[in-house]
């Protein structure tokens, strides 16, 4: 059932007491082959290059130098606690930049009685002490994955912030368009709205509803884009308390923003690719701005970047345009040991999209990537996003670092959905543009067969504010309502779709918050070391009432005269979170125990003076209209507190000192809980019953990490059980039309295995790969949001698999990198990879006659309520499925330095090929009953009752094809 809407010189690294001489060409390889030394390598690199001021890049001051899986990572680097498939490359600027350990790199304390040291000796002392803190502060291993620059380049301009995640185990992603165009993902079977995302530790998901917001809200463009990040850490399941964020039962995705470079330079870039896709832009890096704000290590730096991308899309009639701008400012102080950062992002996204997969019969007739002509039907969005992050990490002394982040975000989303009145037919028939046996779907009242609920004398009419009457505004015989269409519906005894075949809605959210944090590393006592992290996150998000307007043509006006819902008011949510985490290192630093917890709560509300199901004002209720027809809209206010205690523990044992032959091998296990809170849309008076409590995930995972010589291996097993799983049903016909049921009766269980391998064959050749196996099932019969795309709600039965989640996922590939291949100092890289997506279960819609057993909140089989709730409800299809497929991609990159070319310092050429062998595959597929206006029963036990909107259409198959072969050529010119 459908939802409604840097160069380096020779330096010496002290890694575990052993000197390792590294030169420019070996830094990148060492980074991959010795993940446990990653931070020290990066620190050494930045120290030698005088880059100490680029220190803090992690989620908090404690993890500013840790690329651990569950601390705040540094781009492109990975520590022992994380799995990375980043190829062995010279450390790129974006990777080396963030790791210098400013706030945690300890300098001699003031007043310590020491003599003034030379700059060289002072830097050496900072380096040694910072390295010691690095080893203490990084979190113990977990099943996290770190992705860096090479993965971003592999995704290309046609990718999105979600598509890059496919390089990690247990992550499945797809999209219906080029760029950030309705990206869909799952992690270990958890849906995108159940996964939290952060940028530099700031929550980026919608706090009111999860994910990008309500269904089909803000799906084109995003708060940040792929070319505005330098890396990402994927923490599936339950992250360490210091790395978690609000509202997740699927994991945390921590993105890292692009930061200013050390050198002054200007990049001008452009791309040209398949499907009319092109991109152009510039990036200006100031380098060190020596002056009154600071010099040398303390000099500030800034960056400005802008890009514009346009595409006509690989699906017909789905053009899109994206504009992305970032301003970043870094100001080190305290001799580079503290750092203030400012990040401002303003992005826009606009275009057309497919509101749901099209009938496969339609695609067979008109082409695999066909779509309705905009004169027949279309959905479009126009979105604006702004993010401001102020972040300060302060070195106090060798034992304490402190930080605070403040942020503000807003998003504006305008969505329009139009279908020609001829596209609809009464009683579930096929419209003018569909093959027989299929019917169109549109996100407007007519698309749901609900036109009879609006207008004078009907359910959603209000004589004060919702006075729009489509039938009188677009009468039969008018230009937008041909007589043939009106007569066909009149003959069927049903309301015409004219005037309700177009809809526009506007959604605005504002979010602001603060995140203080503190890291304490007490002196070692009796050989025991501790790293204590405490912090909080306080945020508030408000939304408007999403005013919605109906019309009979495209270009819908936004006036009070055609408003049909969302008069005033809106939702808001305040969330409070505090965390404590203590890493305890025992037995000569071989046993690591990290207990912790998160305490969080929410205060949520929904208010409005004209909400359906609210209290009708006495004066209005006594009016002649309300006495004759009834009135259902009025004032409403709802508030709810939620509080949860979420414990966590990780135990890790390093075998290095016990079994020398097992050097580099660590064993670990983690257990923890996390919570996801009900969307604020559940607070509506249209909800029958109480608002659900938070869903809780219980995670247990154990694994092995091996980091030795030229081989890195990570293997883990996980089990996650979700209790109080959300479910809902929306009545779209019958006596309860407009009402909804939300429940907490569902349960899900996910278990599986994950493995990742990086093998450095030679200094130039690296093999990499990962695989994951997942078993994801429902453990109770209940109302559920069935699909990963979250466009279907329905009924899950005990033991049935979760649909749209591949059982097997794998990525394999080879990376070849050669320096000075054609000319001195150049860099040539080839990256070839294949991604396998295994079998996926699919769904179908029930007819209402099936007995699936008692359903919490609905009752037992035989009643009209049971029929109305099951008709059109989506459930697991034992006869369906999506066949496995494998997609190959290729990226060729050549960096050519230039001399004696004036300000032009280098040229970079990149050729990116996606779906190299042009494999056709289905990303999403199911069998459905499309909603329609179906009239009343004329006989039987339900005679006189309304036939469900899903009770008269035929069942047919829909599908969303994956992106065919595409080629993108990019050029970047760097001036300095």
């Amino acid at each position: 059932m459908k939802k409604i809407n840097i160069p380096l010189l020779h330096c010496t690294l002290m890694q575990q007491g052993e000197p390792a001489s590294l030169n420019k060409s070996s830094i990148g390889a060492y980074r991959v082959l010795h993940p446990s030394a990653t931070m020290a390598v990066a620190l050494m690199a930045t120290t030698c290059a005088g880059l100490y001021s680029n220190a803090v890049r992690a989620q908090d001051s404690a993890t500013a130098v840790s690329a651990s899986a569950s601390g705040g990572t540094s781009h492109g680097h990975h520590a022992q606690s994380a799995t990375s498939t980043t190829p062995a490359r010279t450390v790129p600027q974006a990777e080396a930049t963030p790791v210098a350990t400013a706030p945690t790199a300890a300098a001699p304390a003031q007043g310590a009685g020491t003599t003034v040291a030379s700059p060289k000796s002072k830097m050496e002392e900072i380096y040694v002490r910072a390295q010691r803190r690095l080893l203490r502060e990084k979190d113990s291993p977990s099943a996290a994955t770190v992705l860096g620059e090479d993965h971003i380049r592999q995704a290309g301009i046609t990718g999105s912030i979600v598509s890059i995640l496919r390089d990690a185990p247990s992550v499945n992603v797809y999209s219906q368009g080029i760029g950030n165009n309705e990206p869909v993902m799952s992690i270990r079977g958890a849906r995108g709205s159940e996964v939290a995302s952060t940028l530099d530790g700031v929550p980026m998901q919608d706090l009111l509803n999860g994910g990008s917001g309500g269904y089909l809200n803000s799906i084109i463009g995003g708060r940040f884009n792929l070319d505005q990040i330098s890396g990402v850490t994927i923490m599936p399941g339950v992250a360490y308390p210091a790395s978690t964020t609000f509202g997740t039962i699927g994991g945390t995705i921590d993105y890292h923003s692009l930061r200013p470079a050390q050198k002054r330079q200007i990049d001008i870039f452009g791309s040209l690719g398949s499907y009319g896709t092109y991109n152009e832009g510039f990036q200006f890096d100031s380098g060190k701005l020596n002056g009154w704000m600071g010099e040398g290590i303390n000099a500030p730096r800034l960056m400005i970047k802008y890009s514009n991308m346009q595409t006509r899309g690989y699906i017909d009639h789905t053009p899109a345009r994206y504009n992305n701008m970032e301003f970043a400012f870094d100001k080190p102080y305290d001799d580079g040991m503290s750092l203030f950062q400012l990040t401002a992002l303003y992005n826009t996204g606009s275009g057309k999209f497919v509101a749901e997969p099209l009938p496969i019969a339609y695609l067979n007739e008109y082409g695999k990537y066909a779509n309705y002509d905009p004169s027949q039907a279309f959905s479009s969005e126009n979105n604006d996003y702004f993010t401001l992050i102020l972040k300060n990490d302060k070195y106090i002394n060798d034992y304490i670092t402190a930080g605070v982040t403040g942020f503000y975000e807003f998003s504006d989303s305008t969505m329009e959905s139009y279908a020609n009145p001829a596209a609809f037919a009464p009683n579930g028939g096929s419209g003018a543009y569909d093959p027989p046996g299929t019917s169109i779907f549109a996100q407007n009242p007519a698309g749901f067969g609900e036109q009879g609920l609006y207008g004078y004398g009907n359910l959603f009419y209000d004589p004060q504010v919702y006075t729009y009457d489509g039938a009188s505004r677009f009468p039969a015989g008018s230009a937008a309502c041909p007589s043939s269409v009106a007569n066909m519906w009149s003959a069927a005894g049903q309301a015409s779709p004219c005037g309700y075949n177009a809809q526009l809605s506007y959604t605005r959210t504002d979010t602001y918050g603060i995140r203080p944090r503190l890291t304490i590393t007490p002196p070692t006592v009796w050989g025991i070391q501790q790293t204590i992290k405490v912090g909080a996150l306080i945020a508030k998000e408000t939304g408007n009432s999403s005013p919605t307007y109906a019309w009979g043509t495209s270009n819908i006006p936004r006036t009070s005269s055609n408003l049909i819902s969302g008069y005033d008011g809106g939702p808001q949510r305040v969330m409070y979170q505090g965390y404590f985490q203590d890493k305890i290192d025992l037995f000569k630093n071989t046993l690591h125990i990290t207990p912790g917890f998160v305490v969080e709560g929410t205060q949520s509300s929904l208010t409005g003076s004209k909400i359906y199901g609210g209290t009708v004002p006495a004066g209005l209720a006594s009016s002649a209209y309300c006495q004759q027809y009834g009135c259902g809209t009025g004032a409403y206010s709802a508030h709810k507190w939620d509080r949860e205690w979420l414990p966590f523990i990780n135990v890790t044992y390093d075998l290095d000192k016990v079994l020398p032959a097992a050097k580099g091998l660590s064993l670990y296990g983690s257990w923890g809980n996390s919570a996801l809170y009900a969307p604020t849309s559940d607070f509506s008076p249209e909800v029958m019953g109480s608002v659900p409590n938070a869903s809780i995930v219980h995670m247990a995972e154990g694994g092995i990490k091996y980091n030795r010589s030229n081989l890195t291996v990570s293997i883990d097993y996980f089990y996650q059980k979700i209790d109080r799983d959300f479910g809902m049903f929306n009545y779209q016909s019958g006596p309860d039309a407009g009402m909804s049921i939300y429940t907490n009766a569902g349960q899900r269980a996910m278990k599986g295995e994950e493995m990742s391998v990086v093998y450095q064959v030679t200094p130039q050749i690296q093999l990499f790969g990962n695989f994951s196996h997942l078993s994801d099932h429902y453990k109770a019969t209940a109302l559920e949001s069935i699909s990963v795309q979250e466009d279907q709600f329905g009924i899950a039965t005990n033991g049935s698999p979760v649909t749209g989640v591949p059982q097997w996922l794998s990525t394999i590939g080879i990376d070849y990198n050669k320096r000075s291949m054609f000319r001195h100092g150049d860099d040539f890289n080839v990256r070839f990879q294949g991604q396998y997506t295994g079998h996926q279960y699919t769904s179908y819609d029930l007819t209402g006659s099936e007995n699936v057993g008692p359903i919490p909140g609905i009752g037992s089989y035989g009643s009209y309520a049971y029929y109305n709730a099951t008709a059109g409800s989506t459930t697991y299809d034992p006869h369906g499925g999506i066949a496995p497929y494998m997609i190959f991609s290729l990226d060729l990159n050549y960096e050519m330095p230039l001399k004696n070319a004036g300000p032009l310092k280098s040229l970079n050429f990149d050729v990116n090929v996606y779906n190299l062998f042009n494999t056709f595959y289905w990303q999403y597929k199911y069998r459905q009953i499309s909603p329609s206006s179906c009239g009343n029963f004329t006989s039987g036990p339900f005679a006189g009752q309304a036939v469900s909107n899903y009770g008269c259409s035929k069942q047919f198959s829909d599908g969303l094809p994956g992106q065919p072969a595409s080629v993108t050529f990019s050029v970047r010119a760097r001036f300095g």
Side-chain angles (χ1 to χ4, degrees), residues 813-829:
I814 182 172
D815 188 276
Y816 174 79
N817 187 75
K818 178 68 174 177
R819 294 186 59 83
S820 300
M821 186 172 186
F822 302 109
R823 57 188 297 171
H824 180 72
D826 68 1
D827 188 283
F828 178 69
N829 180 256

PDB file of all heavy atoms in Angstrom, residues 813-829:
ATOM      1  N   GLY A 813      37.991  -5.849  -6.262  1.00  0.00           N
ATOM      2  CA  GLY A 813      38.635  -4.962  -7.209  1.00  0.00           C
ATOM      3  C   GLY A 813      40.135  -4.960  -7.114  1.00  0.00           C
ATOM      4  O   GLY A 813      40.745  -5.622  -6.261  1.00  0.00           O
ATOM      5  N   ILE A 814      40.738  -4.206  -8.006  1.00  0.00           N
ATOM      6  CA  ILE A 814      42.186  -4.049  -8.077  1.00  0.00           C
ATOM      7  C   ILE A 814      42.490  -2.584  -8.297  1.00  0.00           C
ATOM      8  O   ILE A 814      41.772  -1.889  -9.034  1.00  0.00           O
ATOM      9  CB  ILE A 814      42.790  -4.917  -9.204  1.00  0.00           C
ATOM     10  CG1 ILE A 814      44.320  -4.767  -9.240  1.00  0.00           C
ATOM     11  CG2 ILE A 814      42.164  -4.584 -10.556  1.00  0.00           C
ATOM     12  CD1 ILE A 814      44.995  -5.747 -10.193  1.00  0.00           C
ATOM     13  N   ASP A 815      43.529  -2.117  -7.639  1.00  0.00           N
ATOM     14  CA  ASP A 815      43.970  -0.736  -7.778  1.00  0.00           C
ATOM     15  C   ASP A 815      45.440  -0.732  -8.179  1.00  0.00           C
ATOM     16  O   ASP A 815      46.273  -1.387  -7.533  1.00  0.00           O
ATOM     17  CB  ASP A 815      43.776   0.028  -6.462  1.00  0.00           C
ATOM     18  CG  ASP A 815      44.044   1.513  -6.617  1.00  0.00           C
ATOM     19  OD1 ASP A 815      45.218   1.926  -6.537  1.00  0.00           O
ATOM     20  OD2 ASP A 815      43.070   2.258  -6.831  1.00  0.00           O
ATOM     21  N   TYR A 816      45.733  -0.028  -9.247  1.00  0.00           N
ATOM     22  CA  TYR A 816      47.125   0.093  -9.737  1.00  0.00           C
ATOM     23  C   TYR A 816      47.505   1.553  -9.713  1.00  0.00           C
ATOM     24  O   TYR A 816      46.801   2.414 -10.261  1.00  0.00           O
ATOM     25  CB  TYR A 816      47.242  -0.460 -11.147  1.00  0.00           C
ATOM     26  CG  TYR A 816      48.605  -0.241 -11.776  1.00  0.00           C
ATOM     27  CD1 TYR A 816      49.680  -1.064 -11.442  1.00  0.00           C
ATOM     28  CD2 TYR A 816      48.814   0.781 -12.696  1.00  0.00           C
ATOM     29  CE1 TYR A 816      50.938  -0.858 -12.009  1.00  0.00           C
ATOM     30  CE2 TYR A 816      50.054   0.993 -13.263  1.00  0.00           C
ATOM     31  CZ  TYR A 816      51.112   0.168 -12.916  1.00  0.00           C
ATOM     32  OH  TYR A 816      52.357   0.386 -13.472  1.00  0.00           O
ATOM     33  N   ASN A 817      48.659   1.842  -9.082  1.00  0.00           N
ATOM     34  CA  ASN A 817      49.137   3.212  -8.983  1.00  0.00           C
ATOM     35  C   ASN A 817      50.612   3.271  -9.358  1.00  0.00           C
ATOM     36  O   ASN A 817      51.429   2.497  -8.848  1.00  0.00           O
ATOM     37  CB  ASN A 817      48.945   3.750  -7.562  1.00  0.00           C
ATOM     38  CG  ASN A 817      49.283   5.224  -7.467  1.00  0.00           C
ATOM     39  OD1 ASN A 817      48.505   6.062  -7.913  1.00  0.00           O
ATOM     40  ND2 ASN A 817      50.423   5.547  -6.904  1.00  0.00           N
ATOM     41  N   LYS A 818      50.963   4.140 -10.265  1.00  0.00           N
ATOM     42  CA  LYS A 818      52.345   4.270 -10.745  1.00  0.00           C
ATOM     43  C   LYS A 818      52.710   5.732 -10.819  1.00  0.00           C
ATOM     44  O   LYS A 818      52.029   6.531 -11.465  1.00  0.00           O
ATOM     45  CB  LYS A 818      52.473   3.633 -12.130  1.00  0.00           C
ATOM     46  CG  LYS A 818      53.851   3.753 -12.760  1.00  0.00           C
ATOM     47  CD  LYS A 818      54.890   2.930 -12.027  1.00  0.00           C
ATOM     48  CE  LYS A 818      56.220   2.948 -12.777  1.00  0.00           C
ATOM     49  NZ  LYS A 818      57.272   2.199 -12.045  1.00  0.00           N
ATOM     50  N   ARG A 819      53.798   6.078 -10.142  1.00  0.00           N
ATOM     51  CA  ARG A 819      54.311   7.442 -10.176  1.00  0.00           C
ATOM     52  C   ARG A 819      55.419   7.558 -11.210  1.00  0.00           C
ATOM     53  O   ARG A 819      56.108   6.590 -11.520  1.00  0.00           O
ATOM     54  CB  ARG A 819      54.829   7.864  -8.806  1.00  0.00           C
ATOM     55  CG  ARG A 819      53.721   7.972  -7.749  1.00  0.00           C
ATOM     56  CD  ARG A 819      54.259   8.539  -6.443  1.00  0.00           C
ATOM     57  NE  ARG A 819      54.835   9.858  -6.639  1.00  0.00           N
ATOM     58  CZ  ARG A 819      54.141  10.980  -6.674  1.00  0.00           C
ATOM     59  NH1 ARG A 819      52.834  10.944  -6.542  1.00  0.00           N
ATOM     60  NH2 ARG A 819      54.741  12.139  -6.846  1.00  0.00           N
ATOM     61  N   SER A 820      55.565   8.772 -11.745  1.00  0.00           N
ATOM     62  CA  SER A 820      56.578   9.068 -12.764  1.00  0.00           C
ATOM     63  C   SER A 820      56.505   8.053 -13.903  1.00  0.00           C
ATOM     64  O   SER A 820      57.504   7.505 -14.361  1.00  0.00           O
ATOM     65  CB  SER A 820      57.980   9.070 -12.136  1.00  0.00           C
ATOM     66  OG  SER A 820      58.075  10.040 -11.120  1.00  0.00           O
ATOM     67  N   MET A 821      55.303   7.797 -14.363  1.00  0.00           N
ATOM     68  CA  MET A 821      55.089   6.808 -15.415  1.00  0.00           C
ATOM     69  C   MET A 821      55.403   7.375 -16.798  1.00  0.00           C
ATOM     70  O   MET A 821      56.072   6.746 -17.612  1.00  0.00           O
ATOM     71  CB  MET A 821      53.650   6.306 -15.377  1.00  0.00           C
ATOM     72  CG  MET A 821      53.369   5.168 -16.325  1.00  0.00           C
ATOM     73  SD  MET A 821      51.715   4.483 -16.042  1.00  0.00           S
ATOM     74  CE  MET A 821      51.774   3.073 -17.163  1.00  0.00           C
ATOM     75  N   PHE A 822      54.923   8.544 -17.079  1.00  0.00           N
ATOM     76  CA  PHE A 822      55.155   9.168 -18.381  1.00  0.00           C
ATOM     77  C   PHE A 822      56.112  10.350 -18.291  1.00  0.00           C
ATOM     78  O   PHE A 822      56.819  10.648 -19.237  1.00  0.00           O
ATOM     79  CB  PHE A 822      53.824   9.643 -18.985  1.00  0.00           C
ATOM     80  CG  PHE A 822      52.829   8.527 -19.148  1.00  0.00           C
ATOM     81  CD1 PHE A 822      51.713   8.461 -18.338  1.00  0.00           C
ATOM     82  CD2 PHE A 822      53.021   7.544 -20.102  1.00  0.00           C
ATOM     83  CE1 PHE A 822      50.785   7.446 -18.487  1.00  0.00           C
ATOM     84  CE2 PHE A 822      52.098   6.516 -20.252  1.00  0.00           C
ATOM     85  CZ  PHE A 822      50.980   6.459 -19.451  1.00  0.00           C
ATOM     86  N   ARG A 823      56.124  11.007 -17.153  1.00  0.00           N
ATOM     87  CA  ARG A 823      57.038  12.119 -16.936  1.00  0.00           C
ATOM     88  C   ARG A 823      57.287  12.221 -15.441  1.00  0.00           C
ATOM     89  O   ARG A 823      56.522  11.710 -14.624  1.00  0.00           O
ATOM     90  CB  ARG A 823      56.462  13.421 -17.492  1.00  0.00           C
ATOM     91  CG  ARG A 823      55.114  13.808 -16.919  1.00  0.00           C
ATOM     92  CD  ARG A 823      54.513  14.995 -17.656  1.00  0.00           C
ATOM     93  NE  ARG A 823      55.371  16.169 -17.484  1.00  0.00           N
ATOM     94  CZ  ARG A 823      55.183  17.298 -18.153  1.00  0.00           C
ATOM     95  NH1 ARG A 823      54.212  17.382 -19.055  1.00  0.00           N
ATOM     96  NH2 ARG A 823      55.968  18.331 -17.948  1.00  0.00           N
ATOM     97  N   HIS A 824      58.364  12.869 -15.072  1.00  0.00           N
ATOM     98  CA  HIS A 824      58.780  12.923 -13.674  1.00  0.00           C
ATOM     99  C   HIS A 824      57.699  13.598 -12.819  1.00  0.00           C
ATOM    100  O   HIS A 824      57.212  14.675 -13.130  1.00  0.00           O
ATOM    101  CB  HIS A 824      60.093  13.683 -13.540  1.00  0.00           C
ATOM    102  CG  HIS A 824      60.562  13.775 -12.111  1.00  0.00           C
ATOM    103  ND1 HIS A 824      61.068  12.698 -11.411  1.00  0.00           N
ATOM    104  CD2 HIS A 824      60.600  14.838 -11.245  1.00  0.00           C
ATOM    105  CE1 HIS A 824      61.389  13.066 -10.192  1.00  0.00           C
ATOM    106  NE2 HIS A 824      61.114  14.364 -10.062  1.00  0.00           N
ATOM    107  N   GLY A 825      57.331  12.902 -11.738  1.00  0.00           N
ATOM    108  CA  GLY A 825      56.411  13.464 -10.772  1.00  0.00           C
ATOM    109  C   GLY A 825      54.947  13.260 -11.090  1.00  0.00           C
ATOM    110  O   GLY A 825      54.085  13.678 -10.311  1.00  0.00           O
ATOM    111  N   ASP A 826      54.621  12.596 -12.202  1.00  0.00           N
ATOM    112  CA  ASP A 826      53.204  12.381 -12.495  1.00  0.00           C
ATOM    113  C   ASP A 826      52.661  11.224 -11.670  1.00  0.00           C
ATOM    114  O   ASP A 826      53.404  10.521 -10.978  1.00  0.00           O
ATOM    115  CB  ASP A 826      52.970  12.170 -13.991  1.00  0.00           C
ATOM    116  CG  ASP A 826      53.552  10.844 -14.504  1.00  0.00           C
ATOM    117  OD1 ASP A 826      54.117  10.077 -13.701  1.00  0.00           O
ATOM    118  OD2 ASP A 826      53.472  10.595 -15.721  1.00  0.00           O
ATOM    119  N   ASP A 827      51.383  11.023 -11.732  1.00  0.00           N
ATOM    120  CA  ASP A 827      50.728   9.970 -10.951  1.00  0.00           C
ATOM    121  C   ASP A 827      49.611   9.373 -11.804  1.00  0.00           C
ATOM    122  O   ASP A 827      48.681  10.084 -12.222  1.00  0.00           O
ATOM    123  CB  ASP A 827      50.163  10.556  -9.650  1.00  0.00           C
ATOM    124  CG  ASP A 827      49.659   9.477  -8.712  1.00  0.00           C
ATOM    125  OD1 ASP A 827      48.556   8.947  -8.949  1.00  0.00           O
ATOM    126  OD2 ASP A 827      50.356   9.182  -7.734  1.00  0.00           O
ATOM    127  N   PHE A 828      49.708   8.070 -12.059  1.00  0.00           N
ATOM    128  CA  PHE A 828      48.707   7.370 -12.866  1.00  0.00           C
ATOM    129  C   PHE A 828      48.050   6.309 -12.012  1.00  0.00           C
ATOM    130  O   PHE A 828      48.729   5.512 -11.362  1.00  0.00           O
ATOM    131  CB  PHE A 828      49.368   6.730 -14.095  1.00  0.00           C
ATOM    132  CG  PHE A 828      48.412   5.942 -14.944  1.00  0.00           C
ATOM    133  CD1 PHE A 828      47.418   6.580 -15.675  1.00  0.00           C
ATOM    134  CD2 PHE A 828      48.505   4.555 -15.019  1.00  0.00           C
ATOM    135  CE1 PHE A 828      46.535   5.862 -16.462  1.00  0.00           C
ATOM    136  CE2 PHE A 828      47.627   3.827 -15.803  1.00  0.00           C
ATOM    137  CZ  PHE A 828      46.637   4.481 -16.526  1.00  0.00           C
ATOM    138  N   ASN A 829      46.717   6.289 -12.022  1.00  0.00           N
ATOM    139  CA  ASN A 829      45.984   5.343 -11.194  1.00  0.00           C
ATOM    140  C   ASN A 829      44.861   4.706 -11.990  1.00  0.00           C
ATOM    141  O   ASN A 829      44.138   5.382 -12.731  1.00  0.00           O
ATOM    142  CB  ASN A 829      45.410   6.039  -9.951  1.00  0.00           C
ATOM    143  CG  ASN A 829      44.638   5.079  -9.065  1.00  0.00           C
ATOM    144  OD1 ASN A 829      43.415   5.087  -9.045  1.00  0.00           O
ATOM    145  ND2 ASN A 829      45.358   4.247  -8.339  1.00  0.00           N
TER     146      ASN A 829
END
